[in-house]
Amino acid sequence: MGNLLLKNGEVLLPNGSVQQLDIVIENNVIMALGHAPLNWQGEVIDCTGKLAIPGFINTHTHAAMTLFRSYADDMLLMDWLKKKIWPAEAKLTGEDVYWGSLLAIAEMLKSGTTAFADMYFFMDDVARAVAETGIRASLARGMAGVAPTGEQALLESESFYTQFNGAADGRISVMLGPHAPYTCPPAYLRKVVAMSEKLGAEVHIHLSETAGEVEDCLKEHGKTPIALMEEVGLLQRGVLAAHCVHVTPDDIQLMAARKVRVAHNPGSNMKLASGIAPVEDMLKAGLCVGLGTDGASSNNNLDMMEELRLAALLQKVNRYDPLVIPAGTAIAMATENGARCLGFEKTGKIEAGYRADITLINMNEPHWYPRHDCSSLLVYAAQGRDVDTVLVDGRILMKNRQLTTIDEERLAHEVQKRAMRLVKQ
Amino acid sequence: MGNLLLKNGEVLLPNGSVQQLDIVIENNVIMALGHAPLNWQGEVIDCTGKLAIPGFINTHTHAAMTLFRSYADDMLLMDWLKKKIWPAEAKLTGEDVYWGSLLAIAEMLKSGTTAFADMYFFMDDVARAVAETGIRASLARGMAGVAPTGEQALLESESFYTQFNGAADGRISVMLGPHAPYTCPPAYLRKVVAMSEKLGAEVHIHLSETAGEVEDCLKEHGKTPIALMEEVGLLQRGVLAAHCVHVTPDDIQLMAARKVRVAHNPGSNMKLASGIAPVEDMLKAGLCVGLGTDGASSNNNLDMMEELRLAALLQKVNRYDPLVIPAGTAIAMATENGARCLGFEKTGKIEAGYRADITLINMNEPHWYPRHDCSSLLVYAAQGRDVDTVLVDGRILMKNRQLTTIDEERLAHEVQKRAMRLVKQ
């Protein structure tokens, strides 16, 4: 860290306009936008022909599941879980989770993501990968009340929060991660609520992902998952809710009243055939909706550039309306809304006083020509691999597509070896 | 051209399996798969760590509309056409269309596409771009019977067919291109049918793209667009039908009986909010369905890797069934089905005796790890920019992402300058 000048780039500003500006960074903060001081002493990155945008924020993933990427596709959900994923996950070690998370972080950085929200297990090892690589993250130890490890997960969540919330110079924050209403009965969720109150921790949870889940919840509890969460006192705790595909107008009103933030995962919802979330309705109700990739075994990548596009395209075709989720809205969902989803302050915009989490995109490929509108090009034409350089907290984590904190060659070797061991029958 | 050996690549075979094999190419044909002859004399490309697939075939585009990429997005269709696209198109010269087509070809090659079906105007200039660059194409002069140029377009179509069908060493073939039933009245279409009979030319047309188009056709003619095409004798002529979003079960039966080939354009259908085509039903009825990007001003790129993924994801979520359009089906649509759509023989597979139209994909990025299943990775994780090397007719048109027949720097300069002139008000 120190002083860094991003010179002469096309900068995407919070109002959606794109202007050629210099960005002055001191330590981890954007100090000024405009023209560089004549007597500039620090490091300079020439950004001519590059688009500078706030780093993408991936609001929902299970990072280490990269290890199962392409292992079990085009399957029914329960076949996929029971025959493939659960048996393989049972063999995971902390070291596997570390390497799987490192692979996820490498992929996210290389497609312009500077922060992510994770829910998995062996979270100390995920935190180690985050700390070493320099990315930003909100981490949650996944808890399933119905599992034999349910009580242990509560204990681990508390100690993980105590040890890691605010760690890595503040780049790591911690949430509690009850998996979902169908794996966490009300009595268990009430324990999570109590812990949340005690620690002051917010909650990351899967809600209303599939129609079947909502049906079952109505049968068992006479309430939708959202209404059930209100009843157990969870919605009042500050919630990041993943999916919210099958939510009713009443659910949406309740979520708005409780300021629930939503992680919308269009790629995963499409691939698993979960359904199409009422994103336009949620935004109209004033909800903060961010974008996520979900795990790489149900997506199958962690490329936010793709989620950006899917978010815009899927709502248009679903509503028969080409005006919904225009480019600017999709970008806001992937950046500033993402920061709010994760509870990060002064993050997700290129503006003086904001954290210097910045992605530089190379616009030299044919699909970036001609340049009538850079925001449109970003949402409707760009690719993850167009990302050239990535900064988190003012530190360069990738430059000219070379990662500075990860040895990619060793990474490829390790994950391939570990993945083959995990799926061996 | 000459002898070329693709050594040691992972080869995607017609049965969907991936095997490490050498590919022996002589002139424009794949001669053998297996181990290279010990005494090999020709050129060698080391394909270690690369996936060799049949080049993608883009079954529907308007190539030169790249000039309007990002010019007018998130708009209603008629506003888009009347206020933006038509006024700008009115200023197009043949030279503009040449440069716009060149940009499209550069983009297509750089994302692994080796052939495309085009419908536009100034087609001599499109043919010039195809001939110079070495790509393969099926070209059609777009004809709108309701336009003042309707009769002239018929004349131009005939002379274009006579002059260019089979040109550029057989890489160019020509179809007749009546735009759509709503721009070509039955009397005009009957002239197209007569010309098709006289020349032996097949037909490329837009059919049943929007619900409004079908409604209007039912009102005016008492028939769906598909049934109307049967009545005027067009379906019997060999038809490549773009879109087919709003087709009935009866339409599909009729299309199957007439062996209509379908260009499915999921990206464009989503962005323009046209609807979701019943692809699964069409495939079940035995129709040949290929994939297309449509023009870059309604997509906004010409990246077949994206269409591949959208084709799979969109059908799954629409049917609430994760089993429809599995990876292998999506790949077949983008390759061998595409070849059948365009009437290309011995094209679209990596098999001895087939044309050497091959795309080599670099699998070194994090999103290609681990490698449980290369077909799944291709459909659900890959990006257009992963394409490394492209051959058409055994000739190397891109190597290590360097185009061999196009000067990208000059191209960028030309298209930017021309695009700005076209949209100036």
Side-chain angles (χ1 to χ4, degrees):
Chain A
M1 289 200 281
N3 295 341
L4 178 62
L5 178 67
L6 305 184
K7 197 163 170 51
N8 219 22
E10 303 291 326
V11 181
L12 179 64
L13 298 171
N15 66 9
S17 72
V18 174
Q19 283 180 45
Q20 198 176 68
L21 290 171
D22 298 337
I23 303 175
V24 180
I25 296 168
E26 286 184 25
N27 297 314
N28 61 346
V29 174
I30 298 168
M31 291 305 289
L33 296 173
H35 289 291
L38 288 175
N39 57 346
W40 179 260
Q41 298 291 321
E43 189 179 349
V44 177
I45 296 181
D46 178 13
C47 298
T48 308
K50 296 200 172 68
L51 180 65
I53 64 168
F56 295 128
I57 296 180
N58 184 348
T59 59
H60 181 66
T61 191
H62 312 285
M65 291 189 84
T66 48
L67 292 168
F68 308 121
R69 188 202 319 270
S70 81
Y71 170 50
D73 294 310
D74 303 319
M75 293 180 75
L76 291 172
L77 182 66
M78 289 324 284
D79 282 351
W80 178 74
L81 284 172
K82 288 185 181 168
K83 293 182 187 167
K84 295 284 193 164
I85 297 300
W86 287 341
E89 276 188 337
K91 297 186 201 163
L92 280 172
T93 65
E95 204 60 17
D96 292 332
V97 169
Y98 167 79
W99 283 101
S101 300
L102 211 58
L103 177 62
I105 293 167
E107 184 187 356
M108 287 192 276
L109 289 172
K110 295 194 89 175
S111 48
T113 292
T114 53
F116 67 105
D118 199 53
M119 184 196 293
Y120 212 53
F121 42 99
F122 294 111
M123 294 309 293
D124 292 19
D125 298 287
V126 181
R128 177 158 57 103
V130 171
E132 285 177 12
T133 56
I135 199 166
R136 193 182 302 285
S138 166
L139 306 180
R141 201 288 187 209
M143 301 184 267
V146 296
T149 53
E151 292 303 313
Q152 189 198 328
L154 280 166
L155 295 174
E156 283 183 26
S157 285
E158 179 160 358
S159 73
F160 182 64
Y161 182 90
T162 311
Q163 198 181 341
F164 284 99
N165 189 44
D169 300 317
R171 284 185 291 104
I172 293 177
S173 60
V174 176
M175 286 190 184
L176 303 182
H179 173 263
Y182 60 92
T183 51
C184 298
Y188 189 83
L189 287 170
R190 288 200 175 90
K191 292 184 194 174
V192 175
V193 170
M195 186 185 293
S196 158
E197 282 168 354
K198 178 177 149 196
L199 300 173
E202 296 198 317
V203 175
H204 183 177
I205 186 170
H206 299 85
L207 289 178
S208 302
E209 180 174 0
T210 65
E213 171 197 343
V214 176
E215 255 172 56
D216 290 348
C217 190
L218 283 167
K219 267 187 217 152
E220 196 174 345
H221 302 286
K223 288 182 155 53
T224 65
I226 302 290
L228 183 64
M229 294 308 96
E230 170 75 6
E231 188 182 80
V232 302
L234 195 94
L235 285 199
Q236 297 86 322
R237 296 306 313 146
V239 169
L240 170 59
H243 300 300
C244 301
V245 174
H246 299 277
V247 287
T248 65
D250 282 351
D251 286 340
I252 293 176
Q253 286 314 310
L254 190 49
M255 291 159 74
R258 295 304 187 187
K259 293 190 171 31
V260 170
R261 292 99 70 187
V262 176
H264 172 49
N265 304 273
S268 168
N269 296 161
M270 292 176 83
K271 181 153 183 291
L272 299 178
S274 305
I276 302 177
V279 172
E280 182 74 357
D281 295 338
M282 294 194 280
L283 289 172
K284 273 196 187 141
L287 286 173
C288 174
V289 183
L291 295 178
T293 58
D294 208 349
S297 58
S298 60
N299 185 305
N300 290 354
N301 61 38
L302 306 178
D303 183 351
M304 285 288 287
M305 209 82 95
E306 189 176 305
E307 300 305 323
L308 200 65
R309 186 162 315 151
L310 289 177
L313 296 184
L314 186 59
Q315 296 299 315
K316 291 181 204 302
V317 75
N318 192 43
R319 294 289 176 119
Y320 276 84
D321 181 357
L323 306 185
V324 299
I325 318 287
T329 302
I331 295 170
M333 289 168 73
T335 55
E336 55 181 284
N337 288 17
R340 288 168 59 205
C341 280
L342 274 54
F344 294 158
E345 292 187 357
K346 295 282 180 191
T347 310
K349 296 184 190 183
I350 299 187
E351 191 170 295
Y354 271 64
R355 281 171 171 156
D357 292 5
I358 295 174
T359 288
L360 298 174
I361 297 173
N362 200 329
M363 299 191 286
N364 63 348
E365 286 284 310
H367 56 264
W368 278 92
Y369 285 94
R371 294 192 200 141
H372 296 287
D373 181 332
C374 286
S375 293
S376 265
L377 289 165
L378 179 65
V379 175
Y380 299 120
Q383 297 177 34
R385 278 188 82 158
D386 296 338
V387 171
D388 182 86
T389 293
V390 173
L391 277 66
V392 176
D393 257 355
R395 181 179 174 203
I396 298 169
L397 301 188
M398 179 167 80
K399 192 170 181 180
N400 306 330
R401 290 202 67 69
Q402 296 300 307
L403 295 173
T404 61
T405 57
I406 300 175
D407 176 344
E408 274 195 70
E409 206 167 319
R410 176 157 183 220
L411 175 61
H413 174 76
E414 282 283 350
V415 295
Q416 185 67 21
K417 187 183 69 182
R418 288 170 187 276
M420 293 303 122
R421 189 197 88 239
L422 292 167
V423 304
K424 205 171 159 189
Q425 302 202 327
Chain B
M1 289 201 281
N3 294 341
L4 178 62
L5 178 66
L6 305 183
K7 198 163 170 50
N8 219 22
E10 303 290 325
V11 181
L12 179 65
L13 297 171
N15 66 10
S17 71
V18 174
Q19 284 179 46
Q20 197 175 69
L21 292 170
D22 297 337
I23 303 175
V24 180
I25 296 168
E26 286 184 23
N27 297 313
N28 60 346
V29 174
I30 297 167
M31 291 305 289
L33 297 173
H35 289 291
L38 288 174
N39 58 346
W40 180 260
Q41 298 292 322
E43 190 179 350
V44 177
I45 296 182
D46 179 11
C47 298
T48 308
K50 297 202 172 69
L51 179 66
I53 64 168
F56 294 129
I57 295 179
N58 184 347
T59 59
H60 182 66
T61 190
H62 312 283
M65 292 189 83
T66 48
L67 292 168
F68 308 121
R69 188 201 320 268
S70 82
Y71 169 51
D73 294 310
D74 302 320
M75 294 182 73
L76 291 172
L77 182 66
M78 289 324 283
D79 282 352
W80 178 75
L81 283 173
K82 288 184 182 167
K83 292 183 188 166
K84 295 284 194 164
I85 296 299
W86 288 341
E89 276 189 337
K91 296 186 201 163
L92 281 172
T93 66
E95 203 61 13
D96 292 331
V97 168
Y98 167 79
W99 283 101
S101 300
L102 211 57
L103 177 61
I105 293 168
E107 184 186 358
M108 287 192 277
L109 289 173
K110 294 193 89 177
S111 48
T113 292
T114 53
F116 69 104
D118 199 53
M119 185 196 293
Y120 213 53
F121 42 98
F122 294 112
M123 293 310 291
D124 293 19
D125 298 286
V126 181
R128 176 158 58 103
V130 171
E132 285 177 12
T133 56
I135 200 167
R136 192 182 303 286
S138 166
L139 306 180
R141 202 287 186 210
M143 301 183 266
V146 295
T149 54
E151 292 303 313
Q152 188 198 328
L154 280 167
L155 295 175
E156 282 183 27
S157 285
E158 179 160 358
S159 73
F160 182 65
Y161 182 90
T162 311
Q163 198 180 344
F164 284 98
N165 189 45
D169 299 317
R171 284 186 291 101
I172 293 177
S173 58
V174 176
M175 286 189 184
L176 304 182
H179 173 263
Y182 60 91
T183 51
C184 297
Y188 189 83
L189 287 170
R190 289 201 175 89
K191 290 185 195 174
V192 175
V193 170
M195 186 186 293
S196 159
E197 283 169 354
K198 177 177 151 196
L199 299 173
E202 297 198 317
V203 175
H204 183 176
I205 186 169
H206 299 85
L207 288 178
S208 301
E209 180 174 2
T210 66
E213 171 195 342
V214 176
E215 254 172 57
D216 290 349
C217 190
L218 283 166
K219 266 187 219 153
E220 195 173 344
H221 302 287
K223 289 184 156 50
T224 65
I226 302 290
L228 183 64
M229 293 308 97
E230 170 75 8
E231 187 181 80
V232 301
L234 195 94
L235 286 199
Q236 297 86 320
R237 296 305 314 147
V239 168
L240 170 59
H243 300 301
C244 302
V245 174
H246 299 278
V247 287
T248 65
D250 283 351
D251 285 340
I252 292 176
Q253 286 314 310
L254 190 49
M255 291 159 75
R258 296 304 187 188
K259 294 190 169 34
V260 170
R261 291 99 70 186
V262 175
H264 172 50
N265 304 273
S268 168
N269 296 161
M270 292 176 84
K271 181 153 183 291
L272 299 178
S274 304
I276 302 177
V279 172
E280 182 73 357
D281 296 337
M282 293 194 281
L283 289 172
K284 273 197 185 139
L287 286 173
C288 175
V289 182
L291 296 178
T293 58
D294 208 349
S297 58
S298 60
N299 184 308
N300 289 353
N301 60 38
L302 306 178
D303 182 351
M304 285 288 288
M305 208 81 96
E306 190 176 307
E307 300 304 323
L308 200 65
R309 186 164 313 152
L310 289 176
L313 297 183
L314 186 59
Q315 295 300 314
K316 291 182 204 304
V317 75
N318 192 42
R319 294 289 175 120
Y320 275 85
D321 180 357
L323 306 185
V324 300
I325 318 287
T329 302
I331 294 170
M333 288 168 74
T335 56
E336 54 181 283
N337 288 17
R340 288 168 58 205
C341 279
L342 275 54
F344 293 159
E345 292 187 356
K346 295 283 179 191
T347 310
K349 296 184 190 183
I350 299 188
E351 191 172 294
Y354 272 64
R355 282 171 171 155
D357 293 5
I358 296 173
T359 288
L360 299 174
I361 298 173
N362 200 329
M363 300 191 286
N364 63 348
E365 286 284 309
H367 56 264
W368 278 93
Y369 285 95
R371 294 192 201 141
H372 296 288
D373 181 332
C374 286
S375 294
S376 264
L377 289 165
L378 179 66
V379 175
Y380 300 119
Q383 297 178 34
R385 276 187 82 158
D386 296 339
V387 172
D388 182 87
T389 293
V390 173
L391 279 65
V392 175
D393 256 354
R395 182 179 175 203
I396 300 169
L397 302 188
M398 179 167 80
K399 193 169 181 181
N400 306 330
R401 291 203 65 70
Q402 295 301 308
L403 295 173
T404 62
T405 58
I406 300 175
D407 176 345
E408 275 194 68
E409 205 167 320
R410 176 157 183 222
L411 175 61
H413 173 77
E414 281 283 349
V415 295
Q416 185 67 23
K417 186 184 70 182
R418 289 171 186 276
M420 293 303 123
R421 189 197 88 240
L422 291 167
V423 304
K424 205 171 158 190
Q425 302 200 326

